[in-house]
Amino acid sequence: MPLCLVAQKPTLAIQVDKPTAKVSPTLYGLMTEEINFSYDGGLYGELIRDRVPGRGWGSLTSWPAVMRGANSSVAIDLDGKSGPSSAITHSLKVTVKAADASSPAGVENGGYWGIPVRANTTYTGSFWAKTDKAGLTVSVALENDQTAEVAASTSVASIGDQWKEYKFTLKTGAVPTSSNNHLTLTVTQPATLWLDLVSLFGPTYKNRVNGNRIDLMEKMAAMRPTFLRLPGGNYLEGNHINERFNFKETLGPWVNRPTHPSPWNYRSSDGMGLLEFLEWCEDLNMEPVLAVYAGYSLEQEHIEPGPALEPHVQDALDEIEYLTGGPETRWGAERVKNGHPAPFALHYVEIGNEDEFDHSKSYDGRFAQFYKAIKAKYPQLQLIATTPVNSIRPDIIDDHYYKSTEAMYELVGRYDKADRNGPKIFVGEWATREGDPTPNLAAALADSAWMTSMERNSDHVIMAAYAPLLTNVNTKGMQWATDLIGYNALSSYGSPSYYAQAMFYSHIGTEVVPTTLAGTPSRVYTVATRDEKARKLTIKLVNATGVAQPLAISLSGVDKVAPEAKLITLSGKSPNATNSIDHPTEIVPVESTVKIAGPKFNQTLVPYSVSILELNY
Ligand code: AHR
């Protein structure tokens, strides 16, 4: 008798009535830091680059001279001896030697690779100034780089001889949308004008003053993240101790914020200060996961545990008090003064960032010192260590994974057999790094495979966040390739990974139920969760192969299922397919309704796809 080999029909068995774990309600969130012009030149709504000019970081290149007409002459310099406050002690010195009504002279700023101009839009602006010609009038205009056409203009009269803040508004009419614009500040008589904190904002998300760019906030809102890990990453630590994120220097009026260098090779305006991070959380209904500086900076500078570290431990306690304290506390009162009377909910505090890179091996001692002080005052807080420690048991450990596509597939299963008695896991940074500036479909497929495994283990992996989140796609805008969301001055787009994550984040049950795949090739992945209250089953399916995968799906432990289900699919013709600033919607999720025959039904997964099937039982 000839032996007839029949390939096993690919099957997926789901045991709906036998949940294996609770899904962490905070599983999916965001991680952020000042990298890739994420805030300045990105999310933060400020349109003026280097609004605090300063020597030593090349920012005078953001402030070229304006000389119009036949009779204008101006010199631009940095005055290191005069600034509007004790925090900002230098300023832009605009020495106008010649100017008249037909030959204005002054200075301009081209924003972050352009200033976006849209029709019928109000821009709110301000600057600090003083002059040697009291009563001077400064003209302000939004001008097109190519055509020199003015989209909006105004003037600010009576500049005095002492530092003072001046405000202005620019309103556009029926102008074409463009990003190649600059802001000019000019005068029509010889005078010396000192300028600082020159600022211009377009409309912001929820109309917040000092707020965020609308399109980027909307993209994040669509992901429905549950937390924001802030303020870094390397940005928390700084290259040097005095370049760390010092929250106290990011509060209150801008004129009190000295600005500071970020480790990603540009200077942060600190317009996105601690309170702005928290308001970002508030706007998107996320909980802050607060990372506190723990005495280690990237250039191998560290502070020994013991008395020398105490001021930093106190800073961490102050920072927690700023978030959570009542008006009767020193730092709670500061938050009230800054305009936010209500405290913020806080459950997680991370101590440092990637402290395994500290060659001095001081983290064990540093972590223990922070842990004891924070727990003594805030026993309810869950404290996160950035690497395993021996001296004390952290509540949670932050694991980071930056992987190639192949390595990411190998990582799937990493937590399947992890010791459930040890600390919980926060995957505080992860990404499949394929695609530049943003991940392609191959990366999105590997990311999705990885998410199935985190979700399956979400009793243990209680939080996870992709990194980096944002990148300005202009040349020199990016310091780290493979970022979730890309943008220029005018528009933004989500990468295939962005859409995969938005799908995963916003479709999830409350309990994991067991799934068994059989007869499928190795690059097919799944996870299923149920919401018993809503009687809803969410099945996530990843087909990272180039061929269609038929699947016979059987649900056990349910009597009946609704005859129709929601199917959301993200797919493309090639793993190299991607989205970009010019082609933002090549790979986007498509939603449809599919018929479900009963607890046993067939579903085919299209090649290179991520699918979510949501059905009621
Ligand atoms: O996400 C980019 C960087 O990667 C982060 O700043 C750091 O924590 C990690 O090394």
Side-chain angles (χ1 to χ4, degrees):
M1 278 276 282
L3 190 66
C4 180
L5 283 178
V6 181
Q8 191 194 346
K9 200 174 163 201
T11 58
L12 167 62
I14 305 176
Q15 184 109 37
V16 184
D17 61 341
K18 297 258 160 33
T20 49
K22 290 250 179 272
V23 171
S24 165
T26 53
L27 178 59
Y28 294 125
L30 303 178
M31 185 274 171
T32 182
E33 67 176 315
E34 184 58 285
I35 182 175
N36 303 325
F37 292 86
S38 285
Y39 316 141
D40 290 348
L43 178 65
Y44 178 52
E46 178 62 82
L47 299 177
I48 301 300
R49 184 165 185 166
D50 296 316
R51 74 181 176 197
V52 175
R55 211 186 292 283
W57 59 91
S59 78
L60 279 194
T61 54
S62 302
W63 295 101
V66 174
M67 285 182 268
R68 300 279 154 79
N71 172 34
S72 66
S73 165
V74 64
I76 309 292
D77 208 347
L78 191 84
D79 188 336
K81 294 209 177 92
S82 184
S85 67
S86 56
I88 299 177
T89 54
H90 46 258
S91 58
L92 200 65
K93 187 175 176 189
V94 183
T95 310
V96 177
K97 294 165 196 152
D100 58 36
S102 53
S103 300
V107 70
E108 68 178 40
N109 188 289
Y112 293 93
W113 298 277
I115 294 180
V117 160
R118 294 183 175 85
N120 306 314
T121 301
T122 301
Y123 296 80
T124 49
S126 59
F127 56 79
W128 284 74
K130 69 171 189 175
T131 180
D132 63 349
K133 292 273 163 53
L136 188 72
T137 295
V138 175
S139 297
V140 184
L142 261 176
E143 229 181 63
N144 189 276
D145 297 342
Q146 306 294 343
T147 63
E149 270 176 31
V150 172
S153 64
T154 188
S155 56
V156 180
S158 307
I159 306 293
D161 59 5
Q162 300 299 316
W163 280 109
K164 190 181 150 199
E165 188 181 22
Y166 299 86
K167 302 206 168 175
F168 62 89
T169 301
L170 292 171
K171 283 195 181 123
T172 59
V175 293
T177 301
S178 63
S179 66
N180 53 341
N181 302 284
H182 53 271
L183 185 80
T184 61
L185 294 102
T186 55
V187 298
T188 55
Q189 65 176 97
T192 300
L193 175 70
W194 286 264
L195 288 169
D196 224 313
L197 284 160
V198 181
S199 168
L200 188 72
F201 275 72
T204 58
Y205 191 71
K206 297 199 173 172
N207 294 320
R208 271 203 193 273
V209 175
N210 199 34
N212 293 332
R213 202 172 132 163
I214 296 169
D215 58 338
L216 295 176
M217 287 295 275
E218 285 176 346
K219 283 200 169 57
M220 289 184 265
M223 296 177 80
R224 297 210 231 145
T226 58
F227 67 84
L228 179 68
R229 173 177 174 235
L230 66 93
N234 290 358
Y235 184 57
L236 170 73
E237 306 162 272
N239 281 337
H240 303 283
I241 293 169
N242 64 1
E243 295 179 359
R244 69 194 183 279
F245 182 83
N246 180 351
F247 88 95
K248 291 175 182 168
E249 298 196 338
T250 72
L251 301 177
W254 301 339
V255 76
N256 296 344
R257 305 184 193 191
T259 77
H260 82 285
S262 105
W264 298 104
N265 298 329
Y266 59 97
R267 198 168 180 93
S268 168
S269 73
D270 285 325
M272 179 70 79
L274 180 60
L275 184 60
E276 288 77 21
F277 277 113
L278 299 170
E279 288 173 338
W280 171 9
C281 291
E282 194 164 72
D283 284 350
L284 298 191
N285 204 17
M286 307 181 285
E287 182 171 317
V289 172
L290 179 69
V292 295
Y293 180 73
Y296 165 70
S297 295
L298 296 161
E299 301 277 343
Q300 292 304 323
E301 293 175 13
H302 82 279
I303 301 156
E304 274 300 305
L309 193 60
E310 252 337 278
H312 295 282
V313 174
Q314 188 56 50
D315 274 353
L317 293 172
D318 293 346
E319 195 167 359
I320 295 167
E321 188 174 278
Y322 185 85
L323 268 73
T324 61
E328 70 291 351
T329 63
R330 160 77 183 87
W331 287 98
E334 194 69 21
R335 186 195 65 243
V336 177
K337 192 172 107 198
N338 295 157
H340 202 285
F344 293 91
L346 180 71
H347 295 101
Y348 301 101
V349 172
E350 177 155 10
I351 296 165
N353 176 59
E354 294 190 338
D355 288 85
E356 67 273 24
F357 293 119
D358 170 11
H359 297 168
S360 75
K361 305 283 171 222
S362 62
Y363 187 59
D364 237 280
R366 290 188 285 111
F367 179 81
Q369 195 170 335
F370 276 84
Y371 182 99
K372 285 176 193 154
I374 296 173
K375 282 278 183 184
K377 192 158 180 204
Y378 301 101
Q380 76 283 8
L381 288 179
Q382 293 287 291
L383 301 184
I384 305 168
T386 69
T387 190
V389 286
N390 299 318
S391 53
I392 210 158
R393 185 187 187 274
D395 300 311
I396 302 165
I397 298 210
D398 179 357
D399 287 347
H400 292 180
Y401 300 108
Y402 291 107
K403 299 283 179 190
S404 66
T405 303
E406 289 308 306
M408 193 53 106
Y409 286 122
E410 276 163 30
L411 201 66
V412 174
R414 161 79 179 80
Y415 295 110
D416 285 345
K417 298 206 164 64
D419 174 13
R420 267 30 185 190
N421 298 315
K424 300 276 186 207
I425 298 297
F426 173 26
V427 182
E429 295 179 30
W430 68 269
T432 307
R433 297 191 70 191
E434 186 172 328
D436 177 354
T438 49
N440 59 16
L441 182 59
L445 293 166
D447 286 349
S448 302
W450 171 237
M451 285 189 284
T452 63
S453 81
M454 290 197 289
E455 200 165 306
R456 185 170 48 254
N457 289 289
S458 75
D459 58 322
H460 185 57
V461 179
I462 59 164
M463 295 187 289
Y466 184 97
L469 175 64
L470 298 168
T471 189
N472 189 311
V473 298
N474 281 287
T475 313
K476 297 196 180 154
M478 182 183 75
Q479 293 84 48
W480 178 287
T482 320
D483 307 291
L484 203 62
I485 298 172
Y487 47 87
N488 59 21
L490 212 50
S491 64
S492 57
Y493 70 98
S495 62
S497 285
Y498 162 82
Y499 287 110
Q501 285 173 52
M503 285 164 64
F504 268 68
Y505 289 23
S506 52
H507 297 88
I508 189 161
T510 54
E511 293 167 300
V512 179
V513 293
T515 50
T516 311
L517 276 172
T520 48
S522 61
R523 292 285 155 87
V524 175
Y525 303 86
T526 190
V527 68
T529 56
R530 72 172 197 183
D531 182 334
E532 188 63 353
K533 241 204 216 138
R535 306 285 292 169
K536 195 194 278 175
L537 180 69
T538 304
I539 311 169
K540 290 168 176 161
L541 296 150
V542 182
N543 176 14
T545 75
V547 292
Q549 289 297 323
L551 261 189
I553 301 177
S554 61
L555 313 181
S556 52
V558 290
D559 307 332
K560 51 182 184 162
V561 294
E564 289 187 335
K566 181 158 89 176
L567 176 68
I568 308 163
T569 304
L570 183 78
S571 68
K573 296 273 175 263
S574 150
N576 295 318
T578 198
N579 296 332
S580 65
I581 197 80
D582 295 325
H583 299 98
T585 53
E586 297 288 308
I587 310 284
V588 291
V590 176
E591 199 173 308
S592 62
T593 303
V594 290
K595 300 263 178 246
I596 302 291
K600 288 187 193 314
F601 61 98
N602 296 319
Q603 183 64 42
T604 296
L605 312 180
V606 296
Y608 304 125
S609 67
V610 181
S611 306
I612 296 186
L613 200 53
E614 213 171 52
L615 47 85
N616 284 98
Y617 58 90

